[in-house]
Amino acid sequence: MNEQVQPAGGNPLFNPLSPDFIRDPYPHYERLRTLDPVHLTPFGQFVTSRHADVSLVLRDKRFGKDFVERSKRRYGDKIMDEPVFRSMGHWMLQADPPDHTRLRGLVVKAFTARRVEDMRPRIQEIVDQTIDAAIERGHMDLIEDFAFRLPVTIICDMLGIPEEHRETFYKSSRDGGRLLDPVPLSPEEIRKGNEGNLMAQMYFRQLFELRRKNPGDDLITQLVQAEEDGSKLTNEELTANIILLFGAGHETTVNLIGNGLLALHRNPDQLALLKARPELMPGAIEEFLRYDSSVQMTGRVALEDIDDLGGVRIPKGETVLCLLGSANRDPAVYPDRPDRLDVTRQNVKPLSFGGGIHFCLGAQLARIEAEIAIATLLRRLPDLRIDDVENPQWRPTFVLRGLTRLPASW
């Protein structure tokens, strides 16, 4: 991936899949904010890295998703024949009003503050069971054995996935993240995406049949009933958005827990402080979100000509990539050493959950899951050590930032 803008030293300014960038994107962001805050990539996308510009694009109605046209421009007209792209085209995450408003309206009730707050005992129970299962062994992988199990179980509960089907989901691979990256997918990656998508469609369609016959108090039952009221939901939309909710419902939370635990163990003073003062945990979660966001980027399309975004003109139809991870460390908003982890930091308002009409539905659920998971781990395994805090294994994706594994022992 060659760049047109070469800073001194000849390294490309924005090369998000390079191993160096994946390991630590933050120095790269700092260069972007300083040298070229609205940067044009060779793929013709504009990349915004400052907090002010990112916030504006997320909330301004002159920007939208325009997913189908955006995909055709990148891959050619035939791309929407690919099952995985057709499915993504129905995601509320990729939809503009009025479709977005209709789709989100159908699921928003499952994520109200009240309903999420009521899940605390269940979340605590799952975290305790997970630790109970590993405590005698004296070691575990904090991603697969700990962070992964909790949000997958909770999203299975919410969707009404029967207990006897869940083992498959606990073992399911986490390689879908590339679908969201700003670097075009290879034919092989599209083929793998299609395979995974078709498997998921087959499974969920069987589950919809089950819920039509045996309704439950779960989100799939609620959506199947909305589908029968034809005006609200087609079968394709139903399937696509369940796949989205399943993925979004665990991916980002796994990363939030993993990235948060790594950050704490890389900053022993903050770890000690949090152990001594567990009441700091809710604020610490906001700081983890800010410091090393699970979602590093989101994109929008200019729905009209934009004359001045950070001093740059954006023509109608062009893509703008918003670097959430960069905005979260912008010294203009966090003047007090933004590159430092500080669990007592005040007025932390991370952009990690996006903004505007696409603000993450599950934001509150993710916060509570991470809060209970990390607090319980620190309380029950106070002498836990991460085997290698210096060179952990990062997943080879950029938009979803997280670890492949994080072995630890006690």
Side-chain angles (χ1 to χ4, degrees), residues 122 125-126 129 149 153 156-157 160-170 203 207 210-211:
R122 173 68 173 142
E125 175 193 25
I126 298 162
Q129 284 170 352
R149 244 187 137 79
T153 305
C156 285
D157 284 358
I161 292 172
E163 290 283 344
E164 60 273 22
H165 297 175
R166 293 186 183 186
E167 213 40 54
T168 328
F169 289 101
Y170 292 130
Y203 172 73
L207 188 55
L210 183 69
R211 287 291 165 253

Side-chain angles (χ1 to χ4, degrees), residues 46 48 53-66 96-97 299-309 312 314-315 318-322 357-358:
F46 292 89
T48 56
D53 298 329
V54 169
S55 308
L56 177 97
V57 173
L58 293 179
R59 296 181 174 85
D60 193 318
K61 293 202 168 38
R62 295 174 301 167
F63 292 94
K65 288 288 187 170
D66 198 20
D96 291 309
R300 297 288 188 273
V301 169
L303 302 177
E304 56 186 75
D305 289 339
I306 311 290
D307 288 332
D308 179 10
L309 177 65
V312 175
I314 312 285
E318 295 301 331
T319 298
V320 179
L321 305 177
C322 299
I357 62 169
H358 290 284

Side-chain angles (χ1 to χ4, degrees), residues 194-242:
N194 286 340
E195 265 176 26
N197 183 265
L198 291 167
M199 294 274 292
Q201 286 196 39
M202 269 166 50
Y203 172 73
F204 284 120
R205 291 206 164 137
Q206 289 170 342
L207 188 55
F208 301 153
E209 282 312 309
L210 183 69
R211 287 291 165 253
R212 284 185 188 104
K213 295 190 189 87
N214 306 314
D217 178 24
D218 57 65
L219 196 49
I220 284 183
T221 300
Q222 197 186 309
L223 290 174
V224 163
Q225 288 164 353
E227 183 206 16
E228 282 157 9
D229 174 13
S231 61
K232 289 194 179 158
L233 201 60
T234 66
N235 192 287
E236 258 195 296
E237 287 175 328
L238 172 62
T239 315
N241 281 291
I242 291 295

Side-chain angles (χ1 to χ4, degrees), residues 13 15 31 42 64 77 96 104 127-128 131 137 147 150 154 196 203 211 231 250 268 294 357 366 370 391 397:
L13 263 181
N15 186 7
R31 288 188 5 227
D77 284 346
D96 291 309
R104 188 170 171 119
V127 173
D128 280 323
I131 294 174
R137 285 208 311 267
L150 166 67
I154 290 292
Y203 172 73
R211 287 291 165 253
S231 61
H250 74 281
S294 321
I357 62 169
N391 299 297
T397 54

Side-chain angles (χ1 to χ4, degrees), residues 393-406:
Q393 256 187 314
W394 292 100
R395 297 171 62 186
T397 54
F398 159 63
V399 171
L400 297 180
R401 175 167 170 79
L403 296 148
T404 312
R405 45 199 300 273
L406 192 61

Side-chain angles (χ1 to χ4, degrees), residues 25 36 58 92 200 237 290 327 357 367 377:
D36 197 10
L58 293 179
M92 68 184 96
E237 287 175 328
R290 183 198 72 80
I357 62 169
R367 286 183 172 112
L377 196 69

Side-chain angles (χ1 to χ4, degrees), residues 44-348:
Q45 302 153 319
F46 292 89
V47 179
T48 56
S49 48
R50 287 182 178 169
H51 191 283
D53 298 329
V54 169
S55 308
L56 177 97
V57 173
L58 293 179
R59 296 181 174 85
D60 193 318
K61 293 202 168 38
R62 295 174 301 167
F63 292 94
K65 288 288 187 170
D66 198 20
F67 177 76
V68 174
E69 288 311 309
R70 188 177 83 213
S71 303
K72 285 180 178 173
R73 266 201 306 281
R74 180 188 273 185
Y75 294 101
D77 284 346
K78 291 269 186 281
I79 192 64
M80 297 315 286
D81 298 342
E82 301 285 354
V84 70
F85 276 83
R86 210 167 49 238
S87 177
M88 284 160 72
H90 291 296
W91 286 2
M92 68 184 96
L93 176 67
Q94 304 288 15
D96 291 309
D99 283 340
H100 173 266
T101 321
R102 173 176 58 88
L103 292 168
R104 188 170 171 119
L106 292 172
V107 297
V108 71
K109 290 189 279 298
F111 292 92
T112 58
R114 173 80 193 280
R115 283 194 83 152
V116 169
E117 212 37 62
D118 289 346
M119 292 183 204
R120 274 185 189 271
R122 173 68 173 142
I123 294 169
Q124 186 65 60
E125 175 193 25
I126 298 162
V127 173
D128 280 323
Q129 284 170 352
T130 307
I131 294 174
D132 291 345
I135 201 161
E136 294 302 316
R137 285 208 311 267
H139 63 86
M140 68 172 157
D141 173 5
L142 290 173
I143 303 299
E144 193 177 328
D145 301 332
F146 182 69
F148 189 63
R149 244 187 137 79
L150 166 67
V152 172
T153 305
I154 290 292
I155 198 70
C156 285
D157 284 358
M158 290 180 78
L159 292 175
I161 292 172
E163 290 283 344
E164 60 273 22
H165 297 175
R166 293 186 183 186
E167 213 40 54
T168 328
F169 289 101
Y170 292 130
K171 294 193 164 62
S172 66
S173 72
R174 296 170 60 224
D175 55 12
R178 265 289 282 131
L179 293 172
L180 299 171
D181 281 335
V183 178
L185 298 164
S186 67
E188 175 60 17
E189 286 173 317
I190 292 175
R191 191 185 63 74
K192 278 180 70 174
N194 286 340
E195 265 176 26
N197 183 265
L198 291 167
M199 294 274 292
Q201 286 196 39
M202 269 166 50
Y203 172 73
F204 284 120
R205 291 206 164 137
Q206 289 170 342
L207 188 55
F208 301 153
E209 282 312 309
L210 183 69
R211 287 291 165 253
R212 284 185 188 104
K213 295 190 189 87
N214 306 314
D217 178 24
D218 57 65
L219 196 49
I220 284 183
T221 300
Q222 197 186 309
L223 290 174
V224 163
Q225 288 164 353
E227 183 206 16
E228 282 157 9
D229 174 13
S231 61
K232 289 194 179 158
L233 201 60
T234 66
N235 192 287
E236 258 195 296
E237 287 175 328
L238 172 62
T239 315
N241 281 291
I242 291 295
I243 291 172
L244 168 68
L245 286 170
F246 183 80
H250 74 281
E251 273 289 359
T252 48
T253 309
V254 175
N255 294 348
L256 170 56
I257 296 169
N259 297 3
L261 286 169
L262 177 65
L264 278 178
H265 285 84
R266 283 178 160 179
N267 294 273
D269 59 321
Q270 298 299 299
L271 178 61
L273 181 59
L274 208 46
K275 282 179 180 168
R277 297 179 55 197
E279 73 279 3
L280 293 173
M281 189 56 80
I285 298 298
E286 299 307 298
E287 175 69 348
F288 299 148
L289 284 161
R290 183 198 72 80
Y291 179 76
D292 201 7
S293 176
S294 321
V295 181
Q296 288 285 312
M297 190 203 83
T298 184
R300 297 288 188 273
V301 169
L303 302 177
E304 56 186 75
D305 289 339
I306 311 290
D307 288 332
D308 179 10
L309 177 65
V312 175
R313 184 173 177 280
I314 312 285
K316 179 180 175 178
E318 295 301 331
T319 298
V320 179
L321 305 177
C322 299
L323 296 177
L324 305 173
S326 173
N328 283 340
R329 293 203 189 190
D330 188 339
V333 180
Y334 301 103
D336 184 25
R337 296 171 65 194
D339 287 328
R340 187 175 130 248
L341 182 76
D342 176 4
V343 297
T344 63
R345 194 184 292 273
Q346 297 299 299
N347 299 320
V348 180

